[in-house]
Amino acid sequence: MALDMTMVMRLLQRKCSSVRELSRLTKELEETFARNDEISASLLLQMRQEELGKIDECMEQIWEMGKDDQVVSEKLRWLVLADPSGAVGESFEEKKIFEIRKKTQALLEELKTSDQQLNKRLSARKSHYKAEVV
């Protein structure tokens, strides 16, 4: 069975779109907490959870593509887990996949920063970002 590279690109693009939406919702959540609007905050948290679910679904579909074929599974692992800044694709599709992953990684870094700031504002000393790993 051959790997459907176009489907991998589509799924990774969906994931990237969900990360972008997650980032937008996080910014909106910051504004909502600043207004002390608990009802809107609750809805936004629920919407964020839905986007996280979409990201999980995309990744599950990608991994499902390789479940019956070891060669496809190894190729998927490389495409999805290799460092996108250092990986070099051989085909147009591989190059596009790494380009999408670079964009997603940049969005995730921005989201992480926003999420940390939001967490610090809301929980101060109890921030889970400050928690020590045991």
Side-chain angles (χ1 to χ4, degrees):
M1 177 173 109
L3 178 58
D4 185 352
M5 298 291 280
T6 303
M7 181 56 80
V8 174
M9 285 190 307
R10 285 183 185 147
L11 290 168
L12 288 173
Q13 187 59 51
R14 277 188 215 159
K15 176 184 174 184
C16 185
S17 296
S18 287
V19 170
R20 187 177 295 112
E21 179 64 8
L22 195 59
S23 183
R24 185 191 71 75
L25 290 169
T26 301
K27 288 177 181 145
E28 213 173 305
L29 187 61
E30 289 174 346
E31 295 168 5
T32 303
F33 279 127
R35 294 190 315 263
N36 292 323
D37 183 351
E38 292 180 21
I39 294 171
S40 295
S42 177
L43 290 171
L44 287 166
L45 287 169
Q46 188 175 28
M47 291 167 69
R48 275 178 39 123
Q49 187 62 41
E50 290 170 8
E51 287 305 318
L52 289 169
K54 289 178 185 178
I55 291 169
D56 286 343
E57 285 176 30
C58 288
M59 294 311 298
E60 285 175 19
Q61 288 179 21
I62 288 172
W63 295 126
E64 184 73 21
M65 294 170 74
K67 77 172 188 166
D68 295 328
D69 187 329
Q70 184 65 30
V71 174
V72 171
S73 179
E74 289 175 16
K75 179 79 169 187
L76 282 170
R77 272 198 301 275
W78 176 69
L79 289 169
V80 174
L81 300 176
D83 180 10
S85 61
V88 179
E90 296 173 5
S91 67
F92 167 79
E93 291 88 356
E94 289 175 2
K95 290 175 183 174
K96 191 69 177 168
I97 285 169
F98 289 123
E99 180 182 313
I100 293 167
R101 288 196 51 232
K102 284 178 197 174
K103 189 184 326 179
T104 303
Q105 192 172 36
L107 287 168
L108 284 169
E109 287 300 319
E110 291 174 18
L111 178 59
K112 181 179 175 184
T113 301
S114 294
D115 200 50
Q116 285 176 333
Q117 292 170 352
L118 179 61
N119 183 267
K120 286 177 187 176
R121 274 191 228 120
L122 294 176
S123 60
R125 292 185 193 143
K126 296 179 184 177
S127 171
H128 75 271
Y129 287 103
K130 292 183 180 182
E132 292 183 30
V133 178
V134 181

